[in-house]
Amino acid sequence: MIIAHISDTHLTLDTPDAKRRMHDFASTIADINALDPPADVIVHTGDIVHNGRPDEYAQAAAVLAKARAPVYVLPGNKDDRANVRVAFSARGYFAPGHAFIDYAIEYYPVRVIALDTLSPGNGRGDFRREQAEHLIELIDAEPDKPIAVFTHHPPFEVTVGPDRFHFETMDSRARLRDALQRSGRVVAVFSGHVHRAAAGQIGRIPASVVPCIATTLRKGEYPPPMKTRAVYHIHRFNPAWGFVTESRVVTTDSSAPAERRIVSTRAASLADS
Ligand SMILES: [Fe+2]
């Protein structure tokens, strides 16, 4: 199973870099469309847009409509939960009747579980008690398959960058961590939000962060040729090894081969060192 993981496109319509952010997003989708073998799914781990506005989501939906693989989204702190629902509910994967955008995708060898850590008005994440109960129900609904969990806020200590903790409270992060570790079937946790590559552990579960797609907001040092080229992750699952993550640089010239580097989910990307 091949998962293309993108995050933090932060689309806007009226900032000086608005066109750049749109270009980064569209180029990334074009790059994913050209993958051979193709991605089975694309997961966007939030901050899809920057101000949560319907007109921003209309632009984002238009870009994602060009993706060849099915696209799954979850909200980040810059997103508006209600407007995410309006923009993407027609795709049919949001669980009905739940206040939060927490859901499972069942069609693949690895179950994909997306979690909603948005706390309106707060840049940090939250994970409520009722969400932990729902997550345990989602995990227990299928007893055999491995599970990959996607969140916006990383539920592990990110030791690069100024901020190590990305949840409002230790309790909310502990609730999520406990629910993730309980079954032993969660084999990876993939997040965004930090705008730079990072890797860590949640107990024995490997966890990683993908850089932001918006190159104007990306953290960390990149050589000049890469400064305007978005980076995303391709997570390939092998039943014997688990996930191996490739950090892929989007090519700006579709006739040129894209640069590729292989990284382990256990090692921080060289692009950030
Ligand atoms: Fe964020």
Side-chain angles (χ1 to χ4, degrees):
M1 182 180 183
I2 301 174
I3 302 173
H5 177 198
I6 63 176
S7 199
D8 295 87
T9 41
H10 288 265
L11 279 197
T12 58
L13 302 180
D14 43 21
T15 59
D17 65 341
K19 282 187 179 167
R20 181 80 238 167
R21 297 190 199 185
M22 175 62 77
H23 176 81
D24 290 336
F25 194 2
S27 299
T28 301
I29 295 303
D31 197 83
I32 294 170
N33 284 345
L35 291 176
D36 183 16
D40 294 295
V41 296
I42 300 169
V43 181
H44 190 315
T45 47
D47 284 359
I48 305 163
V49 306
H50 198 68
N51 302 293
R53 286 167 22 188
D55 52 358
E56 295 172 331
Y57 286 113
Q59 295 282 324
V63 173
L64 291 175
K66 293 183 175 157
R68 293 195 181 135
V71 179
Y72 301 100
V73 304
L74 57 85
N77 51 294
K78 292 290 188 182
D79 288 307
D80 179 279
R81 189 177 282 130
N83 288 338
V84 169
R85 281 191 193 282
V86 170
F88 299 104
S89 61
R91 291 170 177 257
Y93 53 79
F94 294 154
H98 288 283
F100 301 95
I101 300 177
D102 299 324
Y103 58 90
I105 304 298
E106 309 287 357
Y107 317 124
Y108 306 100
V110 179
R111 296 180 79 213
V112 170
I113 293 184
L115 300 178
D116 175 349
T117 54
L118 166 62
S119 177
N122 195 318
R124 292 175 186 260
D126 193 14
F127 198 68
R128 306 278 189 87
R129 197 172 303 278
E130 63 263 39
Q131 288 182 275
E133 291 166 1
H134 184 216
L135 173 57
I136 289 168
E137 284 173 20
L138 286 174
I139 289 172
D140 289 351
E142 205 285 340
D144 299 319
K145 286 185 187 174
I147 300 165
V149 171
F150 289 81
T151 67
H152 182 68
H153 299 86
F156 63 96
E157 187 175 351
V158 177
T159 54
V160 290
D163 211 351
R164 291 177 161 221
F165 300 102
H166 296 283
F167 278 74
E168 282 178 52
T169 66
M170 292 297 183
D171 280 354
S172 60
R173 196 183 69 161
R175 254 195 307 272
L176 174 51
R177 292 173 62 118
D178 289 349
L180 291 170
Q181 292 181 84
R182 180 178 164 276
S183 73
R185 293 197 308 283
V186 176
V187 296
V189 175
F190 300 120
S191 305
H193 182 61
V194 185
H195 292 200
R196 68 171 81 216
Q201 294 277 137
I202 300 166
R204 299 176 68 178
I205 306 169
S208 66
V209 172
V210 67
C212 63
I213 292 299
T215 53
T216 50
L217 302 176
R218 196 165 56 192
K219 303 281 202 312
E221 294 301 317
Y222 287 79
M226 282 181 62
K227 284 191 187 299
T228 56
R229 299 172 74 180
V231 174
Y232 64 98
H233 282 176
I234 304 171
H235 307 301
R236 294 186 175 85
F237 182 76
N238 179 305
W241 304 337
F243 278 101
V244 172
T245 294
E246 173 186 354
S247 183
R248 181 169 172 101
V249 181
V250 170
T251 178
T252 52
D253 175 357
S254 60
S255 65
E259 295 169 29
R260 296 172 183 224
R261 286 178 301 124
I262 305 296
V263 297
S264 159
T265 54
R266 297 172 63 88
S269 165
L270 292 173
D272 243 10
S273 60

